[in-house]
Amino acid sequence: MVAAAVLCGLVAAAATALSAVDARRRSGPHRRAHALLALASAVGLASLLVGVAVALAGAGHGAHGPGRSTGWATVVGVGTAVSGLLFAAGLLRLPGVAASAAATVRLALDGLVMAAAFWFVGWVLFSEPTRLLGDATPMACPPILLATVSAALTAGIALIVAFRAPPPRRLLAGLGAGATAVTGGGLGVATGLCQAGPGVALAGAGALAAGLFVAALTARGMGPTGQTDLDLIRRDGDHAFVPMFAMAASAMYHLLQDGRFDALGIVAGSVEGFALVARQYLTLHDVRGYARRLAEREAHFRELAHTDPLTGLANRRGLLRALHRCAEAGTPCVLLGLDLDGFKNVNDMRGHDVGDAVLAEVGRRLRANLRPGDVAARLGGDEFAVLMHGRPADADRVAERLLGVLGRAYDQPEGAVFLSVSIGLAGWAGEPDVELLLRHADLALRYAKQRGKNRIERYDVAYDQLLRRRTTLEHELRGAIERDELRLAFQPVASLPSVRPVGAEALLRWRHPALGNVRPDEFIPLAEECGMIAKLGAWVLHQACYQLSRWLADGHDVWVSVNVSPRELHAPEYVVQVAEALRAHHVPPQRLVLEVTEHAVATDLDELIRRLTALRLTGVRIALDDFGAGYSSLGQLRRLPIDILKIDHSLVAEHEPVRPVGRDGPAFAPMVDIVMRLGHQLGLEVIAEGVTTPTELAAVVAAGCRFGQGALFGWGVPAEHLEAMLEAATSPGARPAPATAPSAPAPPAAATPRPRRLPTVPAPRSPEPESGQVERGAQAPRTGESPRSVNQHVGSVDSSREMRQA
């Protein structure tokens, strides 16, 4: 017995020393928790030494009667209780076990519930009439009662802490088991001293020493960070079912065995009940707080769901919510749709960070310039909206103010950004209808964008008709080629002053069986927007080349020009399409002229030059259309690889013809004269467009222009009508037949650009004396001159020279 006692003392002392060393190496909240565990081990060691010493002393004197060591048993029981409470406090103070004081109280109450259940079940088993150990059952005495309470409480808290912690629970469960063994061993020592004798006391001492050793080892193995994280909501009530069931079952068993409930049983049941009531009150408090936090978060997230994160304005959901509230209240309101003009260039050229900064500044300016109660929203991208309450007249004033405010410069670190804004206004048309109001504001905004941007447009019912027609045209245009609804009309290009047709411009026409004739200025822009222009352009190119090949096969000396959209021109495959069309229809390349509008020059000059150069390498000629109506400068004109300038009608008809100063001669168009001289100096031929009157014809001829196009020479006509004009121009009654057939067209230069010549400016030619001669389109050749074909050299490489020789 002495050896066993010494061994228990040594093991307990070693475990206590290990706990003390472990507490010293810890820091922060870990150190406080492990210090409590070390102190609990020290109190347990003291209880063990006292109990073992008293037990050995009593064994040596032969005193085994009950009650002789009750005083020392009380000391051991109190020490065991203190050690158990310290172990429980250490468990609850471990980082991660309880995040707050309230969580610590909850765990303590949960442990108390489990402890009351343990004690009550133990009381039923060891009291009358069950007496599980029979005659060896210890009688009730204060030290044993105190030790049983301590053991039950420690076991309950250890079980709850391990149960409520997420996996892995190995170390935490081991620490709880060690603490429970310490209190259980202290109960054994107290029981041995009080009633059972030295053997039971030494067995309890062994259990106490083993518990201290297990607790020290598991505490030392715990990491520096908390390994538990309680879920106080989802698993909050799980602990209550098992202990309540155990107490109810044991109470029923006790009654069935004719047992009686004394004061201790009633106290245990009362503690269980009060602990459960307190715990459920805390649970209800937690649920209420949790519900309140959920409601706050729901309101926060609902607000976030209706707010644009970049600008802080309402988003589309927020605007719809405000619109529905306005409709339900029946108050008059006006919706402004806003779209930033040119914002895509900011993202492309300056980056999305600068674009986001500009959008955020737009949001700040909108908030600063609205009245209280008005709602500003960002619908997406660079599109915004403002919902205003009140009369439309107030909305007009606010829209005017926003037009100026949003049009001011946006200062950025890399330089100011300049934008404009288009605004569309719409109000309730009758009964409040949110979707209809949104649609009307969007239509007004689209109309403002189409009419030049940086402007305000109020919704009009005509916009609906325009939109429906636009939608119908887009739908029908997609199948127009397959339904054979498209035709080509050819407007003649006449040689001046003879007015003989020498070429033609292919013009696309669309006649729909239900919509009738659709204007090109209506469906061509629509085709560019919806991506149909490439398909239409390819169809026009092949049809024009097919008709040109037929005219050339019939012996007509003519060329055909085709208009090219900027989108077609910038497509990488367009050069291949042109070469394939020429090859498929056996058309000499010099007979095909591709017309590029002057507006296309303003987009990307370097890319345009590369595309035009590639096209000229195929042998076709390039014409710059509408010259004088766009933005091209003389420097750009010199760089462009073109062959022909087509003077816009605005230059032909802008001024009355003037007469030469200081000399006799016919009146001429001054702007046409300037362009003629410029074109000839650059090696280009010039065609005057839009010649509609004999006066304009006389003026352009006097300016030295050799080719004209316009209503005076004929509108766009079907191919057979133009063929009749060509036949009439070459008939014997119109002019003498040529002595020799027109020379065959020379092959195009292979993969080399055509040289330009800089001829001298021809002297102005006098107009024909009688308008009838102009209308007849014939002029007799001079005596002794051999007649020549108007397009005699149209197949040569130098297109400028060949046209001037006509």
Side-chain angles (χ1 to χ4, degrees):
M1 292 179 65
V2 172
V6 171
L7 180 62
C8 291
L10 291 176
V11 171
T16 302
L18 187 64
S19 296
V21 172
D22 181 54
R24 288 180 60 85
R25 71 181 181 87
R26 302 283 179 168
S27 61
H30 294 273
R31 186 168 189 174
R32 290 191 292 269
H34 286 269
L36 288 173
L37 296 176
L39 183 59
S41 298
V43 174
L45 174 62
S47 300
L48 181 148
L49 294 177
V50 170
V52 168
V54 172
L56 291 177
H61 292 83
H64 303 292
R68 286 185 57 86
S69 302
T70 304
W72 291 110
T74 302
V75 172
V76 173
V78 171
T80 301
V82 172
S83 177
L85 291 176
L86 290 174
F87 269 117
L91 281 171
L92 294 175
R93 292 296 300 272
L94 285 173
V97 170
S100 62
T104 303
V105 173
R106 295 185 189 95
L107 286 176
L109 285 174
D110 292 341
L112 183 60
V113 170
M114 299 296 296
F118 287 151
W119 194 94
F120 185 85
V121 172
W123 174 81
V124 169
L125 294 177
F126 291 101
S127 65
E128 293 290 347
T130 303
R131 295 180 62 85
L132 185 64
L133 297 180
D135 295 336
T137 302
M139 300 302 292
C141 67
I144 295 176
L145 180 64
L146 184 62
T148 57
V149 171
S150 173
L153 184 61
T154 304
I157 291 178
L159 183 62
I160 283 295
V161 170
F163 173 72
R164 299 291 291 273
R169 303 185 178 98
R170 180 174 56 84
L171 293 178
L172 195 60
L175 179 60
T180 303
V182 169
T183 55
L187 172 61
V189 173
T191 302
L193 295 179
C194 187
Q195 296 179 4
V200 174
L202 288 177
L208 193 153
L212 290 177
F213 187 74
V214 170
L217 288 180
T218 54
R220 184 179 181 83
M222 286 186 175
T225 59
Q227 298 183 14
T228 60
D229 185 15
L230 298 181
D231 185 354
L232 299 178
I233 298 298
R234 187 177 59 188
R235 303 174 62 183
D236 187 63
D238 293 352
H239 69 279
F241 295 100
V242 174
M244 285 300 298
F245 177 78
M247 289 187 67
S250 60
M252 184 63 65
Y253 170 79
H254 189 68
L255 290 175
L256 291 176
Q257 297 296 325
D258 295 329
R260 296 292 183 266
F261 288 100
D262 57 9
L264 294 178
I266 295 174
V267 169
S270 300
V271 169
E272 179 78 5
F274 281 114
L276 284 175
V277 170
R279 184 63 184 87
Q280 294 308 313
Y281 175 78
L282 290 180
T283 301
L284 179 61
H285 181 269
D286 291 341
V287 170
R288 288 174 177 173
Y290 187 68
R292 184 177 60 255
R293 291 192 299 272
L294 282 181
E296 293 173 355
R297 292 177 181 178
E298 181 183 2
H300 174 67
F301 287 123
R302 185 184 297 112
E303 191 61 28
L304 287 180
H306 293 84
T307 304
D308 177 63
L310 178 61
T311 61
L313 305 177
N315 58 12
R316 186 177 293 274
R317 292 190 187 93
L319 178 65
L320 288 174
R321 181 178 62 178
L323 282 171
H324 284 292
R325 290 175 179 174
C326 185
E328 292 171 359
T331 57
C333 64
V334 179
L335 183 62
L336 281 65
L338 301 91
D339 191 87
L340 301 179
D341 304 324
F343 180 76
K344 183 177 183 300
N345 295 331
V346 177
N347 279 337
D348 294 343
M349 305 302 296
R350 304 284 290 273
H352 288 274
D353 292 340
V354 175
D356 290 346
V358 170
L359 291 177
E361 177 62 22
V362 170
R364 287 189 288 269
R365 294 184 186 183
L366 285 176
R367 283 193 298 269
N369 288 274
L370 294 181
R371 306 170 305 176
D374 295 341
V375 178
R378 179 185 177 218
L379 305 183
D382 60 343
E383 186 177 356
F384 295 82
V386 174
L387 177 62
M388 300 184 56
H389 302 275
R391 298 174 302 174
D394 299 334
D396 291 335
R397 290 193 294 269
V398 172
E400 290 287 349
R401 184 168 69 250
L402 292 179
L403 196 68
V405 167
L406 299 181
R408 294 201 299 261
Y410 297 84
D411 295 329
Q412 297 298 320
E414 298 179 359
V417 174
F418 295 92
L419 295 172
S420 61
V421 63
S422 300
I423 302 178
L425 284 79
W428 298 125
E431 291 295 327
D433 189 331
V434 173
E435 296 299 329
L436 190 62
L437 181 63
L438 287 169
R439 181 171 176 271
H440 288 175
D442 185 60
L443 284 175
L445 176 60
R446 291 176 61 182
Y447 194 64
K449 300 283 283 187
Q450 291 176 2
R451 295 195 63 184
K453 305 178 181 180
N454 193 26
R455 59 187 297 121
I456 302 171
E457 289 292 339
R458 180 175 290 277
Y459 169 76
D460 190 277
V461 69
Y463 298 166
D464 276 332
Q465 300 173 358
L466 293 175
L467 179 62
R468 282 195 295 268
R469 178 173 176 82
R470 178 185 178 86
T471 304
T472 302
L473 288 178
E474 180 178 349
H475 180 268
E476 296 297 321
L477 184 60
R478 296 187 181 277
I481 295 178
E482 290 76 8
R483 295 190 302 269
D484 196 27
E485 296 173 359
L486 300 180
R487 295 288 184 273
L488 285 186
F490 295 89
Q491 186 175 26
V493 177
S495 175
L496 303 181
S498 63
V499 199
R500 295 189 182 93
V502 295
E505 180 179 355
L507 305 174
L508 183 59
R509 297 292 182 260
W510 180 21
R511 180 174 179 81
H512 190 272
L515 301 175
N517 291 323
V518 185
R519 301 190 313 273
D521 59 353
E522 187 177 11
F523 72 83
I524 294 296
L526 181 61
E528 292 181 345
E529 292 181 15
C530 69
M532 280 286 295
I533 193 63
K535 183 177 180 180
L536 292 182
W539 184 87
V540 170
L541 179 64
H542 279 275
Q543 291 294 320
C545 289
Y546 168 73
Q547 188 58 56
L548 178 59
S549 66
R550 292 190 57 183
W551 285 334
L552 294 176
D554 292 339
H556 297 295
D557 202 8
V558 68
W559 76 83
V560 170
S561 62
V562 174
N563 292 284
V564 183
S565 167
R567 293 196 178 187
E568 292 180 272
L569 192 61
H570 288 285
E573 65 274 7
Y574 186 70
V575 177
V576 179
Q577 291 179 2
V578 172
E580 290 179 351
L582 294 172
R583 182 168 54 254
H585 300 287
H586 306 287
V587 173
Q590 292 81 2
R591 301 282 184 166
L592 180 64
V593 178
L594 300 179
E595 296 190 11
V596 181
T597 61
E598 190 183 11
H599 295 280
V601 178
T603 55
D604 188 348
L605 183 61
D606 293 334
E607 178 66 17
L608 181 67
I609 291 175
R610 287 192 292 269
R611 298 294 182 187
L612 294 181
T613 302
L615 284 172
R616 291 188 78 212
L617 291 176
T618 65
V620 300
R621 294 180 293 176
I622 307 297
L624 182 61
D625 198 10
D626 299 333
F627 182 76
Y631 311 99
S632 61
S633 65
L634 296 182
Q636 293 174 341
L637 185 62
R638 190 175 186 87
R639 292 178 58 193
L640 288 174
I642 59 176
D643 305 286
I644 305 169
L645 279 181
K646 299 189 73 172
I647 306 175
D648 188 74
H649 172 66
S650 60
L651 298 185
V652 175
E654 183 178 7
H655 303 287
E656 291 293 331
V658 299
R659 295 192 175 275
V661 179
R663 61 184 178 86
D664 295 332
F668 63 95
M671 297 302 297
V672 177
D673 181 72
I674 294 173
V675 176
M676 280 294 306
R677 295 175 182 272
L678 174 64
H680 289 165
Q681 289 295 327
L682 294 177
L684 307 176
E685 189 53 76
V686 181
I687 300 176
E689 288 189 294
V691 180
T692 58
T693 65
T695 302
E696 293 175 356
L697 173 61
V700 297
V701 170
C705 187
R706 300 174 184 264
F707 296 92
Q709 183 179 352
L712 187 63
F713 313 121
W715 297 99
V717 296
E720 55 270 19
H721 291 186
L722 183 63
E723 186 172 357
M725 296 172 64
L726 295 173
E727 292 286 353
T730 57
S731 63
R735 57 178 293 181
T740 60
S743 59
T752 56
R754 289 167 288 179
R756 292 184 179 179
R757 297 189 179 182
L758 302 178
T760 58
V761 178
R765 298 185 179 181
S766 301
E768 295 182 3
E770 295 180 5
S771 61
Q773 292 176 320
V774 175
E775 295 172 354
R776 287 192 302 271
Q779 181 179 13
R782 299 178 182 177
T783 307
E785 291 183 354
S786 60
R788 294 180 299 173
S789 169
V790 175
N791 279 352
Q792 179 176 345
H793 300 282
V794 76
S796 64
V797 176
D798 191 348
S799 58
S800 301
R801 177 175 60 84
E802 71 188 27
M803 294 183 69
R804 285 193 298 275
Q805 288 181 346

